[in-house]
Structure formats: structure tokens, C-alpha cells
Amino acid sequence: MLSEEFVSAICGPPLSSNTAIAKDVGIYCHALSPTYSVKSTFKKSSTPVNCLAVSETHAFAAQHEKAYIHVYSRLRGNQEAFVAFPERIRCLTLAGDVLVMGTTEGRLMLWETCTGRLVSTPPRHVQAVSCVVATPYHVITGSDDSDIHVWSLPQLLELDPAATEHEPEHSLSNHRAAITALSASPSVSIDTNFCVSASKDKSCIIWNYQTGDALRTLLFPSFPLCLSLDPSSRAICVACEDGTLYFPELFGEKPLLGPQSEEASTVVQVSSAFGATQPDVGPATCLSLSYDGTVLLTGHPKGRVLKWDMADNKTPVELANLNAVVTNLVFTSPFPAEKTTKTVTIVKPSQAERAYTFTAQLESHQGPQTRFDLLLNSIGFPQEELENAIAALGQPATAESVGEQELRKQNEELWEIINEQKALQKHTLQRYVEAKTSRS
């Protein structure tokens, strides 16, 4: 059975003097299945919304109203580094081994954690960058100025600083208020990729971010606080300020996307709620869906983490009470990505001119792949091996080698010895029978 884990972060002082809850803990690592438990904790962190990023080896947490990030080692279970930046960090995310950060000055910064290289863009947003998401080839930023910028990740990481001016590829400006959340599909095709943005203008817009086209606008009774795409990108989970949760399907009976949907200019009013939280719990400040989309976790201002069953739509179950505002929930994948290197220790960022040195631990043999490696790591029989076997069957028999001739000769001599022993045994047995008969 797969082990599902997630990481939560809190912000602000304790809500009560409950001595049963650990003090000074800011980040919790939980096991959701097979049974729920808190596996480990990290102290001295106050992490705002959209300010937690988790990799297989580290957790990065920007601090509330501060210009620094706490880096925690998940392998060693302690705080590894304290990293200061020239501006306050408002949001962050991971793009592989690159930490992408949005600042309060409207700037985008990228830190290569294996090299220490730090790339900074001009302040292309007028106000603070409120949320950021990364895809394999793009970075998408939303701001309090209501604009969304789409950046090319390879251009941002260009080694020659004079080769690019760090301009966004597209600017999406259909919203009329601050952007509160962003989520992007994992597809990289220009025809099927899209992202979803939420704003304080009570709307969510589905975009084709590579072309800059608005595909659909969804209106809600109150403004969305956070959202997440289903892992298969078939639906959007949205939590609103009034405590309601919505789960509009993109390809249902009335599809919002695709050739059978209405024109992109048609605005869809979303009114049917998936669920709602009690007033004493408060609206969801953050949410996260499991890897198969069957479990939804929501964090709330009263410190509670609720578990929702997306299949049965039953009353949510309280998993934990963290005694502070829950600001971030991040599921870790039960299927770790296959990488040839591991970042055991991060390299602190520096903008100084120096040698480009990559620091990481090799995860696998870096030599050429042998035939045995290919057969061992393949599912079934590789196509190349099957073709070679079929070709060998169609070839005429070749002359025997010297070794095969020697084996054949030894085999024949052995059979001669066996046959002689059989004949001798038969002759001896026959004489014994004749002697016994003559006596009687």
C-alpha cells in the first residue's frame, strides 16, 4: 500500500494555551495513510500563504514580513540554513532544483539551490507578486495589481545575462482585482495546457497561458481564497471567503472546455457548492488534493486541518488542530521523480561573479547502460531484443565451434561408457539367473 504524506505550515502566534500542542513548531510533516500520524516537525517558522515549497530533500519556508527563508533538511530533520534576500518574499515555488520567488516589490528571483546562482528580474509587476506556479518550461506569476505574467523558464535561467532582458512572454489582464491563487496543468503541449487564476473580483479564469487566450470565466458568490486543479486536470477545487467549497468539472455534462463547450466569451455562474465549513472553523486558507484526487485537505484560521472524501462527499473529518492559522498544505508525491542527482546540501545564493559549480550527490551509475541493465529495467521484453531474437530464428544454422565439437565428443564417449556398463550389468544378471535355475 502506498504511503501518502503531506506537509503543513502555520503562521502567527498560538490561538490558545493548549499544552498538548507542541510550542515553537512551525512546519509539520504528516503521514496520511495507511494511518494518520505526525512524522516530524520543524521549529522557528512563521510561513504565510503560498510561501512553502517542499522537495524530496528539503523544505523552503519564507518568513512572514521578512526578507529571508528558512531551509530545512528533510533527510537530517533539522534547519540547514538561514538565507537572507534583498527584498521580502511574498510567495515561492520549486521548478526542479530552482527555487522561484516573488517579492513584495513585484520582482521575480530564481535561486539554483545546487549552484548558489541567483537570477533577479526587474519589477515587472506594479505591486507585490502574490502567487507563483512553475511548469516544466514556464513560470506564471500573479500579483496584487490584478495582472498575470507568463515567463519562459529557459530564458530566465540563461547563463549569459546580456542575452535576455527578462521580459514576460504574455501578460494576462482580464481580472479587475488582486490575484489570490494560481494552478497550472502538467501538460506541456500548446494545445492542451492551461492554468487557472483566482481573484478578489469573485472570478476564476481558465487560460491557455502559452497563447494568452482566456478560455472560460467562472463567477462565484464570494471571492476565492485558494484553488487547486485535480491531478488529472478534469476539475477545479475552489475555496471561497464565505466558507464554501466548489468543485466545477471541466468536462462534465456541460463542458467548460473542449469543442462541445460554449464560446469562450460566455461567463459561467458557479452556484452549486461541493461543501461548506462551520462558522467556528472558518474559510479554508489553503487546500491540497492527493495524488489520485480522492482526498482533499483544507487548512483553516482556527488551526484545523480537515479531510474531505471527494468520492462520497461526506462530512469532513478533522485530522489535526495545529493551534495557529494553517497557511500551507503540500502533498508529497508517492512516486518520486527519477533523478540522477540529489541535493543533499544546498548552496546559499550569491550574485557575485564566480565559477559555476554544481554541487549534488550522484544517485545512480553514470556509465553507459549495459544490455543487462536494459533488460532488468524494462517492462516485459524490449522491442529491440524481440526483433533480434526473431532475426536469429530466421538465420541458417552455423557451423559448430571448436568448443561445441569438443563437448559433443565428450558426450559420445560418456554414452559409450554408460552403454558398456548396461551390457555388463545385463550379462551379470543373466548368469546369476542361470546359476540359480541349475541349483533348483
Side-chain angles (χ1 to χ4, degrees):
M1 185 176 183
L2 287 176
S3 176
E4 293 183 270
E5 299 179 3
F6 69 95
V7 181
S8 64
I10 60 175
C11 185
L15 299 176
S16 66
S17 58
N18 189 345
T19 57
I21 301 175
K23 295 182 179 180
D24 202 24
V25 174
I27 298 176
Y28 297 81
C29 299
H30 312 255
L32 180 61
S33 64
T35 57
Y36 173 76
S37 63
V38 177
K39 298 185 64 177
S40 60
T41 58
F42 298 114
K43 295 184 176 182
K44 297 180 180 180
S45 179
S46 182
T47 312
V49 176
N50 297 328
C51 287
L52 178 69
V54 181
S55 69
E56 295 179 13
T57 57
H58 290 87
F60 302 87
Q63 301 304 296
H64 181 58
E65 297 295 331
K66 304 293 182 180
Y68 50 79
I69 289 178
H70 289 179
V71 182
Y72 299 93
S73 172
R74 297 183 63 197
L75 301 177
R76 293 183 289 271
N78 61 356
Q79 182 173 344
E80 180 178 317
F82 170 92
V83 183
F85 290 91
E87 298 177 15
R88 286 182 295 174
I89 307 301
R90 178 71 182 276
C91 58
L92 53 81
T93 190
L94 276 170
D97 292 325
V98 179
L99 187 68
V100 185
M101 300 162 284
T103 72
T104 55
E105 303 298 324
R107 200 183 307 273
L108 196 62
M109 292 192 292
L110 295 92
W111 167 29
E112 291 184 350
T113 59
C114 290
T115 66
R117 177 170 173 251
L118 183 65
V119 178
S120 181
T121 70
R124 299 305 183 191
H125 284 288
V126 179
Q127 298 183 37
V129 181
S130 57
C131 46
V132 58
V133 294
T135 69
Y137 303 109
H138 292 86
V139 172
I140 308 170
T141 57
S143 171
D144 288 342
D145 62 9
S146 77
D147 285 340
I148 299 168
H149 290 338
V150 182
W151 308 78
S152 170
L153 186 58
Q155 288 183 5
L156 290 172
L157 297 176
E158 175 65 48
L159 289 176
D160 185 3
T164 178
E165 297 180 357
H166 296 314
E167 292 283 348
E169 288 187 345
H170 299 286
S171 293
L172 316 177
S173 55
N174 288 26
H175 284 294
R176 297 294 178 263
I179 308 300
T180 58
L182 284 170
S183 185
S185 68
S187 173
V188 295
S189 170
I190 194 172
D191 298 320
T192 58
N193 60 6
F194 62 90
C195 72
V196 184
S197 59
S199 170
K200 289 185 177 181
D201 61 8
K202 299 183 180 181
S203 72
C204 285
I205 299 180
I206 306 172
W207 308 86
N208 184 325
Y209 61 84
Q210 287 201 39
T211 62
D213 298 327
L215 305 178
R216 181 70 62 215
T217 300
L218 309 177
L219 292 180
F220 296 87
S222 63
F223 76 81
L225 293 174
C226 50
L227 65 83
S228 178
L229 273 171
D230 178 86
S232 59
S233 300
R234 63 179 178 86
I236 311 169
C237 189
V238 181
C240 292
E241 186 190 26
D242 59 359
T244 53
L245 292 171
Y246 298 89
F247 197 67
E249 295 188 9
L250 303 181
F251 307 99
E253 295 181 359
K254 294 182 179 180
L256 301 177
L257 300 179
Q260 298 181 354
S261 63
E262 300 180 9
E263 295 182 359
S265 59
T266 304
V267 177
V268 177
Q269 182 72 45
V270 181
S271 56
S272 178
F274 169 79
T277 57
Q278 298 298 324
D280 62 331
V281 176
T285 53
C286 55
L287 57 82
S288 184
L289 283 161
S290 62
Y291 77 100
D292 57 359
T294 59
V295 174
L296 169 68
L297 299 181
T298 55
H300 300 269
K302 301 298 183 179
R304 300 183 184 179
V305 178
L306 300 184
K307 173 186 174 183
W308 303 74
D309 192 324
M310 302 301 291
D312 297 337
N313 193 15
K314 296 180 179 179
T315 304
V317 177
E318 181 177 324
L319 282 182
N321 188 341
L322 306 183
N323 199 31
V325 180
V326 183
T327 53
N328 293 269
L329 291 171
V330 179
F331 264 103
T332 59
S333 174
F335 310 105
E338 294 184 1
K339 297 174 60 178
T340 57
T341 60
K342 177 190 290 186
T343 309
V344 178
T345 304
I346 58 100
V347 180
K348 287 190 175 183
S350 173
Q351 290 181 314
E353 293 293 334
R354 59 185 180 82
Y356 190 83
T357 305
F358 186 88
T359 305
Q361 176 180 302
L362 297 178
E363 281 289 276
S364 60
H365 178 59
Q366 301 300 303
Q369 189 179 44
T370 64
R371 180 171 177 266
F372 178 77
D373 295 333
L374 177 64
L375 293 173
L376 182 64
N377 297 322
S378 298
I379 300 175
F381 293 98
Q383 183 67 26
E384 182 180 357
E385 294 298 323
L386 291 175
E387 292 176 354
N388 292 338
I390 293 173
L393 289 174
Q395 294 179 357
T398 57
E400 291 182 345
S401 63
V402 176
E404 292 176 343
Q405 293 177 358
E406 182 66 24
L407 288 175
R408 182 182 293 276
K409 182 179 179 181
Q410 294 177 2
N411 193 32
E412 292 176 351
E413 292 176 352
L414 180 61
W415 275 111
E416 288 180 1
I417 295 173
I418 293 174
N419 291 332
E420 289 178 358
Q421 293 295 326
K422 285 183 177 181
L424 179 60
Q425 182 182 13
K426 184 179 179 180
H427 179 69
T428 304
L429 182 60
Q430 184 177 1
R431 292 189 62 182
Y432 171 76
V433 172
E434 291 178 351
K436 187 176 180 180
T437 303
S438 62
R439 289 179 183 176
S440 60

